[in-house]
Amino acid sequence: MVGSEELYRKAVKLMPAGVSSPVRAIKPYPFYTERACGSRLFDVDGNEYIDYCLAYGPLILGHANPVVKEAILKQVEKGWLYGTPIELEVKFAELIVSLYPGIEMLRFVNTGSEATMAAIRLARGYTGKKGIVKVEGSFHGAHDVVLVKAGSGATTHGTPNSAGVPEEFVKYTYQVPYNDLESLSDLLEKKREEIAAMILEPVMGNSSLILPEKDYLKEVRKVTEENEVLLIFDEVITGFRLSEGGAQQYYGVKPDLTTLGKIAGGGLPIGIYGGKREIMEMISPLGPVYQAGTFSGNPLTLSAGFATVNYLINEKPYKDLEEKTKAIVEGIQPELEKLGYSSNCIASMFGIYFGKEPKNYADALKLDSAKFFKFFSEMLKEGIFLPPSQYETCFVSVAHSEEDIEKTVEAVRTCLRKL
Ligand SMILES: *Cc1c(COP(=O)(O)O)cnc(C)c1O
């Protein structure tokens, strides 16, 4: 078999940095996966890893879960793309509407990015206003409106975070720090006539794991409502992760619009956006807001997603997942604290912080990401694959065993000593 190093040498000539998504460009070269099963990845070099990256969120049941696999194979026998509606669309939509307080109607799309793009357009179309508020350091996919640099401190006008995004395109993207109600209230009071919606990750999962302070989300709901600004929960990570009904069920806060993705596709590409009926009825061909897609609601993705969500409903693994995740954090915290580091978790998400646990993006930027990467590399040698950046979140799956957890805690201790 061709090894990872050689594959990467070829890949860098063919794809920018050799990869299909930037975070995968691990130095000196990424391992190339040959197959995966349960909690494990197996690479082409003969190594085995306990996986806490889990494809950055979708794989709550672990790799190649037999129930999901069977659903996919069953669908494959019947064809995998029709370009017509299917029964499963109706059944899956019905199920999601029953689980998500904020979703009365929805559309299936293909990625989380597509979902947030459509939700933002819809919010603008519905309100007739242009402004969007996002939280500094929150990630909503790689499209223009939300690719805005997070300035620290005060609320600022957006400046693009990527070449190729004209300043004019993000002129209406405002930012506020997470866990900071005062900044949000000030902004909305001044700009309420201009602002269509606020979009946020209820729990931040793309600037390391950052938890909402007590009542923050409830207060955000209150302030947005008072100012007639729509609230969009980007639950692409938290959907089906914090609970069957996502963060909105977990925290008891009902947004106007919701985006889902990742877990909802059971490992195949998906995005979903949904919300209040009155707003959703603005979508074409009922209304004037356009959105469309060749692969939207495709049978294969829906089969995998529907099987996954039904598994979660029937098996109710949330408490068990939370306990496993807590066991990791409690196991590693004493060693981390001795070195001035920290960790925290919620449901089956956990963060290891090389510094103080952050409350917002500005705090997260103070973490020692170089140190984290050293730690990541040491962990890899121990057979543990963490997400390769301080700014990603670690995930635990149904497939992780107690033995996996014990081995992981032991490996963390070993690796911390080597830093
Ligand atoms: C991953 C992610 C997205 C983008 O989803 P893709 O399927 O990668 O396009 C959007 N929002 C959040 C919160 C995410 O974590």
Side-chain angles (χ1 to χ4, degrees), residues 113-391:
S113 300
E114 207 184 326
T116 62
M117 186 174 72
I120 287 169
R121 181 183 301 152
L122 175 59
R124 286 173 160 168
Y126 175 78
T127 58
K129 298 190 275 186
K130 294 177 187 170
I132 295 294
V133 184
K134 79 178 276 289
V135 166
E136 287 176 359
S138 67
F139 179 71
H140 304 294
H143 58 90
D144 290 356
V145 181
V146 286
L147 269 188
V148 172
K149 189 177 248 162
S152 57
T155 309
T156 49
H157 266 283
T159 46
N161 201 11
S162 162
V165 179
E167 257 162 51
E168 291 82 352
F169 286 23
V170 292
K171 199 163 80 178
Y172 301 107
T173 306
Y174 298 91
Q175 299 179 87
V176 290
Y178 191 62
N179 279 325
D180 182 346
L181 271 172
E182 210 174 295
S183 295
L184 178 64
S185 307
D186 286 354
L187 175 68
L188 295 191
E189 272 160 35
K190 273 188 227 129
K191 302 276 183 184
R192 53 177 292 181
E193 301 299 327
E194 278 178 40
I195 292 175
M198 174 181 192
I199 183 165
L200 86 163
E201 296 175 76
V203 171
M204 290 184 78
N206 289 287
S207 290
S208 76
L209 173 68
I210 310 181
L211 304 185
E213 287 175 343
K214 195 176 173 300
D215 292 334
Y216 172 66
L217 296 171
K218 283 201 166 97
E219 293 295 327
V220 166
R221 173 67 285 189
K222 208 168 127 211
V223 182
T224 46
E225 202 153 33
E226 282 166 2
N227 287 286
E228 291 173 27
V229 165
L230 296 181
L231 180 61
I232 308 171
F233 268 12
D234 181 355
E235 297 225 44
V236 171
I237 285 186
T238 54
F240 303 106
R241 176 63 70 179
L242 295 197
S243 75
E244 293 156 11
Q248 50 198 273
Q249 181 193 316
Y250 191 96
Y251 290 105
V253 175
K254 191 167 142 186
D256 300 295
L257 291 170
T258 300
T259 55
L260 298 169
K262 296 194 169 127
I263 292 172
L268 296 186
I270 200 168
I272 296 168
Y273 70 101
K276 286 188 177 145
R277 181 173 308 278
E278 187 191 329
I279 306 175
M280 291 302 289
E281 282 180 346
M282 294 291 284
I283 304 284
S284 173
L286 278 186
V289 178
Y290 198 68
Q291 175 269 313
T294 304
F295 297 105
S296 293
N298 79 80
L300 222 47
T301 290
L302 293 192
S303 302
F306 192 64
T308 299
V309 172
N310 274 297
Y311 184 104
L312 294 172
I313 292 169
N314 297 332
E315 302 293 324
K316 305 199 185 328
Y318 289 103
K319 199 160 172 284
D320 188 45
L321 279 167
E322 184 182 353
E323 276 166 15
K324 282 195 276 190
T325 311
K326 269 197 181 139
I328 296 176
V329 167
E330 280 164 14
I332 65 178
Q333 208 142 27
E335 309 295 320
L336 286 167
E337 276 171 10
K338 274 186 222 157
L339 299 164
Y341 308 145
S342 52
S343 64
N344 204 351
C345 61
I346 181 168
S348 50
M349 302 163 76
F350 68 99
I352 300 173
Y353 314 105
F354 280 75
K356 249 178 66 189
E357 183 187 340
K359 280 165 134 190
N360 57 34
Y361 186 58
D363 285 353
L365 288 178
K366 291 181 202 142
L367 298 172
D368 190 341
S369 55
K371 195 54 102 24
F372 177 90
F373 190 74
K374 253 193 186 154
F375 171 71
F376 160 84
S377 306
E378 290 297 333
M379 288 291 279
L380 209 56
K381 289 184 207 156
E382 298 290 319
I384 315 278
F385 181 44
L386 300 172
S389 156
Q390 172 70 89
Y391 298 108

